[in-house]
Amino acid sequence: METTQRRAPATEAVHAGRDDLAALGLHAVPLDLSTTYPSRDSRDEARRIDAFAATGARLDGPPIYARVDNPTTARFETALARLEGTQDAVAFASGMAALSACLLARSALGLRHVVAVRPLYGSSDHLLSSGLLGTEVTWTDPAGIADAIRPDTGLVVVETPANPTLAEIDLRAVAHDCGSVPLLADNTFATPVLQRPAESGARIVLHSATKYLGGHGDVLGGAVACDEEFAGALRQVRFATGAVLHPLAGYLLLRGLATLPVRMRAASATAAELAARLAADPRVSAVHYPRIGGAMVSFEVHGDPHAVIGGVRLITPAVSLGSVDTLIQHPASISHRVVPAGARADGGVSEQLLRMSVGLEDPADLWADLDTALASADPGDPGPGHGAEDNPARRLKETRTSDSA
Ligand SMILES: *Cc1c(COP(=O)(O)O)cnc(C)c1O
């Protein structure tokens, strides 16, 4: 890890992982696509492979093979760790590969039980519910975590704000209830710009880097920010199972981090404005927008949610989130389809819910598109500006907090 003194997040975003470039005579980050590296000293390589097998720590000296380590990806890992305020970070081929590695690292120690709080991202819910990796899950609400923990519990898994309801969890309280069991917080929605879960006691901070870290809808990746010891375990799992991030993806994710603070601030301001307009609209029955802010807005409509999806023109009707352009999708049909209907309902994912990832477009253009789409979903509606402003029942409904999740 780099040893520079603590700098502000905006500074870290553009400098972390790049501190050696000037000394190398470089400005842009070098992209190393090598799968293997020449070495005439196989005794030294044997020593370094033994060291990696013992702790999983990053290799000292030159790389050996791309499944062990890659210098470009390592720059992204260094930068993410600095932004999250953790000792280390480990990158994976996708967010799901990152979550799988966390589960495998714990179950390799015989700790196969997981305690988790709904809602989670649909595929995370599915991975835990299916037991595909040999784990067993107990679903609970935040207040039930302490009671759900068993001697073989290896992880507590939460998301805050959660996908897709934007429900928030008090991480400090939950971390306390976890005791010695590591708390994994999925920070994909907030990003370190809005929330640094490690400061609240989460030992493991998970990202689908596909979303805001990449930020342009063109990179699939995952990452875990954590302490050095757990990072070592994750590197060993990554080496053994092979879900490495491609170096070009590592390059693009590092580049994405540089603009993460400005993108998050700009998109959050627009999202807050759209959330307020939706809350004042009679065609909308509920709006979920997190206390900590962010670029995600979820809302429930009185009319047909599928007609809203079919009615947008500027906004892209697509799953995923965190890009520079605005996306909207129907969780019950798409992102959370793999979650059984009953479990979706338990997690607050109603059939009327739409999830919108707000991008960097002008707020007025986005509202005009939403307004038209809402009208097509609710043909009998008088439209905006007909008493919506003075209807107190339409005021922004705060996202549910820990005691009601
Ligand atoms: C998308 C997502 C994931 C999974 O990430 P992939 O990169 O698609 O594998 C995990 N958690 C959350 C909150 C997500 O939104």
Side-chain angles (χ1 to χ4, degrees):
M1 307 302 316
E2 292 168 13
T3 52
T4 44
Q5 71 187 54
R6 181 77 171 256
R7 301 174 294 201
T11 308
E12 293 291 6
V14 293
H15 285 283
R18 303 163 179 87
D19 288 334
D20 59 331
L21 291 184
L24 292 171
L26 297 173
H27 185 232
V29 168
L31 169 55
D32 183 345
L33 294 170
S34 305
T35 54
T36 189
Y37 296 84
S39 165
R40 294 213 156 73
D41 188 349
S42 25
R43 279 191 198 83
D44 184 58
E45 283 211 355
R47 177 191 64 75
R48 296 194 302 126
I49 289 168
D50 286 350
F52 179 77
T55 65
R58 272 191 198 168
L59 296 175
D60 57 334
I64 295 174
Y65 185 60
R67 188 155 35 75
V68 184
D69 209 357
N70 171 270
T72 308
T73 297
R75 291 178 183 279
F76 163 65
E77 293 171 333
T78 297
L80 181 65
R82 290 197 70 92
L83 286 171
E84 285 287 4
T86 56
Q87 289 176 326
D88 208 345
V90 185
F92 293 88
S94 69
M96 293 315 299
L99 178 59
S100 298
C102 293
L103 295 172
L104 290 171
R106 298 301 287 167
S107 55
L109 304 173
L111 303 169
R112 297 177 177 282
H113 180 242
V114 177
V115 173
V117 176
R118 280 188 166 121
L120 295 178
Y121 171 63
S123 294
S124 304
D125 187 308
H126 173 67
L127 180 63
L128 292 173
S129 298
S130 66
L132 194 64
L133 295 178
T135 57
E136 180 199 341
V137 65
T138 299
W139 297 103
T140 182
D141 57 16
I145 287 174
D147 286 343
I149 288 174
R150 315 191 308 213
D152 64 339
T153 304
L155 274 182
V156 174
V157 176
V158 302
E159 254 176 53
T160 180
N163 186 348
T165 60
L166 306 179
E168 287 173 282
I169 284 175
D170 179 347
L171 283 175
R172 206 171 289 279
V174 165
H176 176 264
D177 290 349
C178 289
S180 62
V181 179
L183 171 63
L184 182 156
D186 187 325
N187 203 30
T188 298
F189 274 31
T191 82
V193 176
L194 298 177
Q195 164 179 280
R196 300 181 1 141
E199 288 174 355
S200 302
R203 184 171 170 202
I204 303 165
V205 181
L206 186 92
H207 279 279
S208 169
T210 313
K211 317 294 170 53
Y212 291 104
L213 306 189
H216 295 73
D218 54 7
V219 194
L220 197 69
V224 181
C226 56
D227 55 74
E228 259 161 6
E229 187 189 342
F230 195 68
L234 289 176
R235 281 203 184 83
Q236 290 174 331
V237 170
R238 186 177 65 177
F239 173 61
T241 60
V244 292
L245 186 71
H246 190 274
L248 177 57
Y251 177 92
L252 290 170
L253 291 176
L254 182 67
R255 181 183 177 129
L257 287 185
T259 55
L260 180 67
V262 284
R263 283 187 287 109
M264 282 307 286
R265 274 196 294 274
S268 296
T270 304
E273 185 176 333
L274 294 178
R277 287 192 184 222
L278 287 164
D281 195 291
R283 297 163 295 187
V284 174
S285 58
V287 177
H288 307 279
Y289 188 67
R291 289 174 214 275
I292 63 164
M296 300 298 296
V297 181
S298 293
F299 58 99
E300 292 166 57
V301 290
H302 289 297
D304 179 6
H306 302 282
V308 179
I309 298 293
V312 290
R313 290 294 175 268
L314 176 67
I315 298 169
T316 303
V319 75
S320 198
L321 55 118
S323 188
V324 287
D325 58 321
T326 300
L327 309 178
I328 194 167
Q329 62 107 21
H330 182 237
S333 299
I334 316 283
S335 66
H336 290 67
R337 192 65 189 172
V338 288
V339 181
R344 276 204 304 269
D346 287 348
V349 185
S350 87
E351 292 294 320
Q352 296 306 110
L353 186 76
L354 292 162
R355 190 196 73 188
M356 182 166 65
S357 165
V358 177
L360 300 178
E361 301 95 331
D362 186 88
D365 290 333
L366 289 173
W367 178 252
D369 195 36
L370 269 180
D371 187 33
T372 309
L374 284 168
S376 64
D378 198 4
D381 187 83
H386 293 265
E389 287 75 7
D390 42 54
N391 184 346
R394 310 293 177 201
R395 292 281 161 263
L396 181 61
K397 203 177 87 179
E398 295 265 18
T399 302
R400 299 165 313 145
T401 47
S402 53
D403 47 1
S404 62

